[in-house]
């Protein structure tokens, strides 16, 4: 083809393009935008060619949502759509696997430039029709169709000049407004749409505007480039962000012993439980390094977008705290055992305590009551009327009878607890026993029983778990903060069995005690006010009264003021307890792998249920303040001595 013929064809194409009618359509979806364009052009949707000026965005909760904006025109031959065929068009949003090609058009002071980006995967390529329409949207004069075609074929993401502008008015250029916010940690650019003879902005102009507004750090290149390629007008765009200071980490202690343990009952054939492997004594030897102190880290300063330095705090120093039988190394960075025994961590203090072993029963013959600052190992039983108080753990190979047991650590009873209605067992940690009968039990961790709990009162800060062949809870009151899980709950005889979860038992007891105190104060206050009213009437009837009555009247008024003050304090205390209970994250769950009998009373936080029918393999949970019965789900509590986990 000769040059003259090519020029003639391009001239005819340019003439046809000038006659072409273009419309813009805006809608929440691509389908709706195409439908609007078809109505305005008066042609079927299948005869529309279009360019996506703005891709729609879903946004989140209504924030950031954008409509689709297309520029469309009618074509005579629907087959000319080729890759834009509507049957294959993806009306969704960009994905990494497939992305349509893109075209960007911008106007400078003397030219129109375009940049074409190739599609990804199965995405649709930009056609010459769309590219030419996009250029004509900027100008109708001096368009070089050949350069448009070249840019579409190359798709090399480079700006190419495709039109020359004769008229330019700098007063109609797009305007750039810069704003800093968040204590100069963010810089925003808002663009004003250019006039007909004005130019679009460039990245260089944006950076120059930022610099003139003292924004010199934290530029976001992609955001700045997007304002050049596909500008959004009238809304601020984040183009620079400072670095916030990072405070240093405080010094910390790394312990070389286990500071927390979880246990798992090993169930043997026939439902028997083996407690022999439950070694809760954390033994150390003389000279062993118990802990190391890691130095604090320095903070990293921040920087605002205007170049201001933001100081950061360095991490705080701390000391190793040691107690009995532990010494510090010369550099004060290691804690070392001075004796064989059990290491105890109380708060941050590290101590080593030897273990007291009782070879037989705890009774008068073997020394009577025991008060010990370490751990106690009893080879026999703890007999009626005796007590053990220990700062560590207590392990009893036999039975605990009607006695008092109190320790800060764990309690292991290889046989069981026969409290006879008078035993009081308190543990700051976990309690494991073969059975618990007629006893009062308090635990700061788990209560784990292999055979059953009968007519006992138990308050547990975490979970009560009964696992074994005869693992039942019958009678009494069981309260656990998180969960109660047993084989059977209640009995065929319908013995009242109260089960409560979802509350911290100690916190609830304090709240109930506070409520009782408020009732007593209010009752006394009512009596005092009645007496005051009676005396007041008496004084009005006869002013000349004995001194004793006047003194009594004055004392009553003073006591009334004291009662009001006490009532106010108790009501504030009650509010704090209620707030703490409401802040508990656990909802609580009660589960039975076997049967739940009538007579069981269930409370999960503020939800109540009196069991009137027999259930099998169920879990009780609370939904919308109603106890809901669901399929049994076994407790996920790892009750093994798992050294890697911490409660």
């Amino acid at each position: 083809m000769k040059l003259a013929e090519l020029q003639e064809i391009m001239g005819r194409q340019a003439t046809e393009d000038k006659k072409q009618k273009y419309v813009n359509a805006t809608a929440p979806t691509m389908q709706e935008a195409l439908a609007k364009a078809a109505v305005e052009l008066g042609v079927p949707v299948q005869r529309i060619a279009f360019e996506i000026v703005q891709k729609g965005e879903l946004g989140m909760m209504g924030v950031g949502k954008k409509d689709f904006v297309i520029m469309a025109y009618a074509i005579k031959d629907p087959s000319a759509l080729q890759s834009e065929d509507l049957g294959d068009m993806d009306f969704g949003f960009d994905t990494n696997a497939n992305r349509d090609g893109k075209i960007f058009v911008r106007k400078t002071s003397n030219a129109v430039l375009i940049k074409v980006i190739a599609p990804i995967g199965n995405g649709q390529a930009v056609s010459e029709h769309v590219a030419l329409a996009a250029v004509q949207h900027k100008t109708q004069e001096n368009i070089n169709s050949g350069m448009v075609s070249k840019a579409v074929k190359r798709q090399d993401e480079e700006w190419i000049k495709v039109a020359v502008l004769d008229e330019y008015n700098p007063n109609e250029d797009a305007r750039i407004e810069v704003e800093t916010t968040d204590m100069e940690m963010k810089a925003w650019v808002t663009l004003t749409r250019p006039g007909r003879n004005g130019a679009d902005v460039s990245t260089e102009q944006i950076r120059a505007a930022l610099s003139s507004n003292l924004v010199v750090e934290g530029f976001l290149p992609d955001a700045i480039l997007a304002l050049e390629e596909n500008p959004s007008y009238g809304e601020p765009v984040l183009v620079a962000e400072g670095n916030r200071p990072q405070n240093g980490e405080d010094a910390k202690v790394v312990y070389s012993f286990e500071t927390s343990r979880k246990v798992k009952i090993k169930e043997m054939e026939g439902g028997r439980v083996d407690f022999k492997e439950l070694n809760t004594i954390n033994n150390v030897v003389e000279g062993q390094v118990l802990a190391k102190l890691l130095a604090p880290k320095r903070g990293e300063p921040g920087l605002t977008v205007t170049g201001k330095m933001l100081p950061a705090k360095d991490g705080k120093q701390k000391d190793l705290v040691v107690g009995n039988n532990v010494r510090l190394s010369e550099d004060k960075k290691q804690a070392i055992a001075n004796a064989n025994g059990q290491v105890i961590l109380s708060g941050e203090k590290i101590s080593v305590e030897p273990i007291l072993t009782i070879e037989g029963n705890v009774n008068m013959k073997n020394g009577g009551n025991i008060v010990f600052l370490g751990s106690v190992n009893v080879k026999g039983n703890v007999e009626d009327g005796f007590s053990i108080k220990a700062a560590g753990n207590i392990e009893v190979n036999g039975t605990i009878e009607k006695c008092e047991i109190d320790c800060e650590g764990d309690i292991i009873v290889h046989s069981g607890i026969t409290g006879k209605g008078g035993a009081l067992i308190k543990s700051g940690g976990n309690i494991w026993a073969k059975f618990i009968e007629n006893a009062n039990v308090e635990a700061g961790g788990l209560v784990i029983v292999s055979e059953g709990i009968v007519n006992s009162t138990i308050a547990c800060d975490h979970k009560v778990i009964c696992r074994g062949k005869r693992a039942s809870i019958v009678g009494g009151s069981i309260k656990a903060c998180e969960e109660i899980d047993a084989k059977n709950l209640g009995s065929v005889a319908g013995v009242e069995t109260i089960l409560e979860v979802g509350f911290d038992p100690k916190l609830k007891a304090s709240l109930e005690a506070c409520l009782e105190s408020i009732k007593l104060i209010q009752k006394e206050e009512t009596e005092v006010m009645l007496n005051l009213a009676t005396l007041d009437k008496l004084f009005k009837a006869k002013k000349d009264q004995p001194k004793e009555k006047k003194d009594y009247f004055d004392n009553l008024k003073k006591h009334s003021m004291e009662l009001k003050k006490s009532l106010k304090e108790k009501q504030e205390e009650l509010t704090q307890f209620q707030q703490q209970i409401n802040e508990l994250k656990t909802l609580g769950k009660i589960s039975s792998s076997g049967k739940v009998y009538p007579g069981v009373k269930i409370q999960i936080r503020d939800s109540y249920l009196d069991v009137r029918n027999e259930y099998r393999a169920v879990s009780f949970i609370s939904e919308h303040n109603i106890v809901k019965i669901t399929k049994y789900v076994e407790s996920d509590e790892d009750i093994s001595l798992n050294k890697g986990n911490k409660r």
Side-chain angles (χ1 to χ4, degrees), residues 196-214:
R196 180 177 180 180
N197 296 318
D200 296 312
V201 298
S202 66
T203 56
E204 292 78 13
Q205 290 172 326
I206 294 171
R207 286 183 176 270
L210 290 170
S211 179
S212 65
N213 282 271
L214 305 180

Side-chain angles (χ1 to χ4, degrees), residues 400-401 403-406 411 413 416-433 435-449 452-464 476-480 505-506:
I400 292 178
E401 299 175 3
C403 55
E404 183 178 351
I405 305 294
D406 191 352
I411 295 176
V413 189
I417 300 171
T418 56
K420 303 175 185 177
L424 178 59
I425 315 298
K426 292 184 178 181
S427 167
N430 303 323
I431 295 178
W432 308 285
F435 60 86
I436 300 175
E437 293 179 0
N438 300 299
N440 295 313
V441 176
E442 297 179 13
L446 305 171
V447 174
I448 306 166
V449 180
I453 300 172
V454 179
N455 293 329
S456 295
T457 300
I458 294 179
C460 171
D461 286 358
H462 292 289
K463 300 180 181 181
V464 175
S477 172
I478 313 297
K479 299 177 182 179
K506 296 187 182 71

Side-chain angles (χ1 to χ4, degrees), residues 64-198:
K65 183 177 180 181
K66 289 185 178 180
D67 288 342
F68 280 88
V69 179
I70 64 171
M71 181 174 65
Y73 62 94
I75 58 173
K76 296 179 181 179
D77 182 8
S79 63
L81 283 172
Q82 297 178 0
S83 62
E84 284 94 48
D85 184 73
L86 296 177
D88 297 327
M89 181 66 70
D90 177 15
F91 294 112
F93 297 85
D94 287 349
T95 66
N96 292 328
N98 300 294
R99 190 194 70 192
D100 292 344
K102 296 180 180 180
I103 180 171
F104 301 106
V105 184
R106 57 184 296 266
K107 185 191 293 186
T108 67
S109 60
N110 57 9
V112 174
L113 310 177
I114 68 170
K115 179 194 292 188
V116 181
I117 297 177
I120 294 177
N122 295 324
Q124 307 298 321
V126 175
S127 68
E128 290 188 28
H129 285 295
V130 170
L132 193 58
V135 175
Q136 290 171 341
H137 185 66
K138 290 286 185 180
T139 183
Q140 297 286 329
E141 302 294 334
N142 301 321
I143 298 176
N144 189 332
S145 300
M147 294 305 293
V148 173
S149 176
K150 181 179 179 181
V152 170
K153 290 177 181 177
R154 285 172 57 177
Q155 303 180 108
D156 58 0
E157 302 186 19
E158 296 292 333
W159 290 109
I160 295 177
K161 182 177 178 180
V162 295
V164 177
L165 300 180
D166 295 329
E167 297 182 4
Y168 168 65
N169 184 352
N171 292 325
E172 295 185 26
D173 285 352
R175 293 197 304 274
I176 304 171
E177 295 180 4
V178 177
E179 180 185 13
T180 58
T181 62
D182 195 15
M183 304 295 287
E184 298 185 358
M185 292 301 293
K186 293 180 180 179
W188 306 77
V189 161
T190 303
L191 299 182
T192 302
R193 190 182 298 275
R196 180 177 180 180
N197 296 318

Side-chain angles (χ1 to χ4, degrees), residues 220-384:
L220 303 176
D222 289 346
I224 295 174
L225 180 61
L227 286 174
E228 177 187 81
E229 293 178 338
N230 190 21
S232 57
Y233 300 104
E235 58 181 5
V237 176
L238 182 67
V239 294
E241 194 166 11
N243 291 321
R244 298 188 181 277
Q246 301 294 325
N247 293 332
E249 294 181 10
D250 294 343
K252 62 181 179 180
V253 178
V254 177
Y255 300 99
S256 58
F257 57 90
E258 297 303 324
T259 60
S260 180
R261 297 179 300 281
K262 289 186 177 181
V263 296
K264 182 177 182 180
I265 295 176
K266 184 179 179 181
E267 190 169 322
M268 310 292 285
E269 291 183 6
R272 293 184 298 107
V273 175
D274 183 10
F275 282 95
K276 294 179 182 178
E277 301 301 322
L278 291 177
N279 179 20
T280 62
I281 307 301
N282 208 340
N283 291 305
V284 296
V285 297
E286 183 179 356
Q288 181 177 338
V289 176
L290 305 177
K292 294 181 180 180
L293 180 64
L294 300 184
K297 294 183 179 179
R298 297 183 64 86
E300 297 181 4
L303 196 65
T304 69
V305 295
T306 56
K308 294 178 183 177
M309 188 72 70
L310 300 175
K313 295 179 181 179
D314 293 334
K316 296 179 181 178
Q317 294 282 357
K318 72 181 306 181
D319 297 321
L320 278 171
V321 183
V322 299
N324 295 336
N325 300 316
V326 180
R327 72 177 188 275
L328 290 175
S329 60
E330 291 184 5
D331 60 4
K332 310 292 185 184
K333 292 183 179 179
Q334 292 184 343
I336 303 169
N338 264 352
N340 297 342
Q342 184 187 13
V343 59
I344 301 291
L345 183 64
S346 179
E348 294 186 344
K349 183 190 288 185
I350 308 168
S351 303
V352 173
E353 300 292 349
I355 300 167
L356 176 65
T357 301
I358 306 299
E359 295 298 336
N361 297 337
V362 175
N363 53 23
M364 192 64 72
K365 180 181 177 181
N366 288 321
N369 296 336
I370 297 171
V371 177
F372 192 66
L373 297 179
S375 294
V376 177
N377 189 343
V378 179
K379 299 296 185 181
N381 304 323
V382 184
E383 296 180 0
D384 286 352

